[in-house]
Amino acid sequence: MANPVGIETRLFIGGQFSELVAEAHEAKAADVDRAVESAKAALPAWSELDGSERRRYMLKLADLVEAHGAEFARLEALSMGKPVSTYVEHVVGPATLRYYAGKALDIHGATSLTSKDQLNLTFRQPYGVTGAIIPWNVPLIMICFKVGPSLIAGNTLVLKSSEKAPLTSLLFARLVHEAGFPPGVFNVVSGYGLPCGDAIARHMEIRKIAFTGSTRTGKAIQKAAVESNMKSCTLELGGKSPLIVFDDADLDKAARAAAFSLVSNSGQVCMASTRVYVHTSVAKEFTSLYTRAIQVIRGAVGDPLDPTTRFGPQADAVQYQSVSKYLAMAAQDGLSRLTLDNPIVTGGKNIVAPEVFVEVPEDHTLMQEEIFGAVSCLNTFETEAEVVAKANDSVYGLYASVFTRDLQRAIRLAKQCEAGSVAINTSSPYFCQDLPLGGYKGSGLGRELGQEGLDAWTETKTVYISTA
């Protein structure tokens, strides 16, 4: 029913009425059931389709996604505040789709002739109906991480978008239709974790699920998967990534990389380098370079739809309040904070300015918990053994970065860092399509991207054939 004329119904927060961007339908458990039935009906024909045909669909989809880059950028700016000027997802996402399109004929098993009078072999087959739950911070990239390998492997997919950013997934679904994919191969349900996400995690017809998001939610999904049908889980979860700068490093390069990692997407990146360790002998010089680089890379702040804006707001008021609570805690505990030049006004816009705290105790909440905002802790170290121990003192293990000109040291730390990805003389959010991405410890299970990311969407079956 329409609202009566003259009656205000919007939320009033911070002295301003909220603006309605769009309304999306909310999926309930029954809607998940319908999506699964659709995916199940489409499965036989899709899984039996020649791999080159699946590749043809995927390449067409990649072209359409790339062509609609401006529309994707606008929707993500409206939904979660990513500035359109920094949008690269319409390039990164299709690159993933094209990579997996190229793997369509590379789904192979193995053979064995080592047993007398036997030909033994393995098949790699699709699971069948699969599920995916994606986050709000980089929705298009996360869609492509799931859609590319799942569909190329011959599965069908039911994907739940984030309630904070549902519009990207619906545009993507429209392009799947335009690319000519058979009905039911790809399905989108928009909704909340309860009941929609939980229904996917517990569904008895879904054999495999991939989730990207918080560690807390990842544990709940794995628990639901075990309690239902023991479905396979790929979980890419939170991070508290260390970045280590040795005294022989290119300090300017290290500072720029650390700053870019911190301010990208307003700090709303799971692999952001939020724990920076710098050798005491170069700490003063690095700190100056780091703070200056943060200001330069941050750039203009404000409306994410403004093409001059480089640093936008947090995704919503809830996220803004969450980050603000950490900053209030830091102030209450008397943590030492660097003064950054060119401060920004944050009132009423859900914008949290980049913050850098120095010599934070290793056991402090700011060092241990994922904040998901542009908040950095900058500490010093004396020895290699000391900094490795500090870097690994975390429940997370998603990404680590090391800056040094010493190749032997770089290799040692690449082996010693407890992280799924270790970058040498570069930093997050760098990754490549053809190598796996994922976390150690509380940062997840399994891997996405690369051959390993494709294998994760197939099951291995061993076949024994008597030749006697």
Side-chain angles (χ1 to χ4, degrees):
M1 183 176 72
N3 294 324
V5 176
I7 296 179
E8 181 60 69
T9 61
R10 296 172 294 174
L11 301 180
F12 185 72
I13 300 173
Q16 296 181 347
F17 285 105
S18 62
E19 295 183 16
L20 177 67
V21 174
E23 291 182 342
H25 288 266
E26 179 188 349
K28 305 291 187 180
D31 299 303
V32 172
D33 289 338
R34 291 194 301 114
V36 170
E37 284 303 312
S38 176
K40 188 177 178 181
L43 179 63
W46 182 253
S47 62
E48 291 295 328
L49 197 64
D50 190 280
S52 61
E53 279 297 293
R54 292 199 292 269
R55 176 178 60 196
R56 182 178 64 81
Y57 283 117
M58 193 68 69
L59 289 174
K60 186 173 182 180
L61 176 60
D63 290 343
L64 285 169
V65 171
E66 192 168 54
H68 287 76
E71 192 172 353
F72 277 111
R74 178 175 176 273
L75 291 179
E76 293 196 19
L78 289 169
S79 295
M80 52 73 60
K82 184 177 180 66
V84 294
S85 68
T86 65
Y87 198 76
V88 296
E89 282 84 335
H90 66 295
V91 176
V92 178
T96 301
L97 298 180
R98 292 183 181 116
Y99 171 77
Y100 280 113
K103 303 291 285 182
L105 303 180
D106 293 341
I107 303 171
H108 301 151
T111 59
S112 172
L113 296 173
T114 59
S115 300
K116 181 176 172 57
D117 298 328
Q118 288 286 141
L119 168 61
N120 302 324
L121 62 154
T122 60
F123 296 161
R124 296 203 73 96
Q125 295 180 289
Y127 278 97
V129 179
T130 60
I133 301 175
I134 63 168
W136 48 263
N137 61 326
V138 282
L140 180 56
I141 290 177
M142 292 296 102
I143 292 169
C144 295
F145 274 25
K146 276 64 173 173
V147 167
S150 175
L151 300 194
I152 278 296
N155 301 287
T156 54
L157 182 65
V158 177
L159 180 142
K160 188 193 93 66
S161 60
S162 169
E163 66 277 8
K164 294 181 187 289
L167 304 181
T168 306
S169 300
L170 297 174
L171 172 57
F172 188 92
R174 191 189 88 196
L175 300 182
V176 168
H177 179 71
E178 288 185 22
F181 281 73
V185 169
F186 176 68
N187 308 269
V188 172
V189 287
S190 305
Y192 292 88
L194 286 172
C196 186
D198 185 67
I200 292 175
R202 294 184 183 278
H203 207 289
M204 296 299 291
E205 298 282 359
I206 293 177
R207 297 283 318 288
K208 151 83 180 180
I209 187 169
F211 168 75
T212 302
S214 72
T215 299
R216 177 180 57 82
T217 303
K219 289 179 178 179
I221 287 173
Q222 187 176 28
K223 184 172 184 288
V226 169
E227 291 174 347
S228 54
N229 62 346
M230 292 290 291
K231 58 176 62 65
S232 174
C233 293
T234 298
L235 306 173
E236 199 268 275
L237 308 176
K240 193 70 178 177
S241 301
L243 184 147
I244 303 170
V245 183
F246 284 94
D247 53 354
D248 66 340
D250 181 333
L251 297 184
D252 184 60
K253 181 178 183 180
R256 285 185 283 109
F260 182 76
S261 183
L262 177 67
V263 304
S264 291
N265 207 19
S266 302
Q268 299 169 129
V269 178
C270 57
M271 60 179 68
S273 300
T274 53
R275 291 187 295 144
V276 179
Y277 295 98
V278 58
H279 194 272
T280 52
S281 64
V282 293
K284 183 176 180 180
E285 182 181 357
F286 175 84
T287 300
S288 176
L289 292 168
Y290 182 44
T291 54
R292 190 179 313 137
I294 288 173
Q295 300 306 311
V296 172
I297 294 171
R298 187 208 71 192
V301 180
D303 181 359
L305 291 171
D306 185 334
T308 65
T309 296
R310 299 284 300 173
F311 189 90
Q314 301 301 120
D316 58 13
V318 173
Q319 184 64 21
Y320 171 79
Q321 291 160 7
S322 174
V323 178
S324 297
K325 287 180 181 178
Y326 283 101
L327 298 179
M329 179 190 302
Q332 180 180 335
D333 293 346
L335 297 185
S336 180
R337 170 180 166 274
L338 292 179
T339 300
L340 301 181
D341 296 332
N342 190 23
I344 60 178
V345 177
T346 61
K349 297 179 181 178
N350 290 340
I351 293 173
V352 180
E355 296 278 7
V356 179
F357 295 90
V358 295
E359 298 304 344
V360 182
E362 291 293 320
D363 61 352
H364 194 277
T365 300
L366 258 66
M367 287 292 286
Q368 294 297 322
E369 293 187 7
E370 183 179 41
I371 298 173
F372 229 58
V375 180
S376 169
C377 296
L378 175 60
N379 287 2
T380 57
F381 70 93
E382 292 280 356
T383 68
E384 181 178 314
E386 172 197 358
V387 75
V388 168
K390 289 179 176 179
N392 289 338
D393 183 21
S394 173
V395 297
Y396 297 110
L398 187 57
Y399 206 101
S401 303
V402 179
F403 286 81
T404 179
R405 289 185 170 94
D406 185 332
L407 179 60
Q408 290 182 326
R409 173 190 283 155
I411 294 172
R412 281 197 306 273
L413 265 74
K415 293 169 65 176
Q416 293 170 4
C417 285
E418 295 173 353
S421 297
V422 180
I424 306 298
N425 294 325
T426 186
S427 187
S428 61
Y430 177 78
F431 63 88
C432 57
Q433 309 291 339
D434 56 341
L435 290 177
L437 183 69
Y440 279 23
K441 300 186 290 189
S443 289
L445 296 171
R447 294 294 183 269
E448 294 186 302
L449 299 181
Q451 181 65 41
E452 196 169 339
L454 178 61
D455 291 344
W457 292 90
T458 64
E459 287 191 289
T460 301
K461 178 184 291 180
T462 301
V463 180
Y464 309 109
I465 303 172
S466 173
T467 59

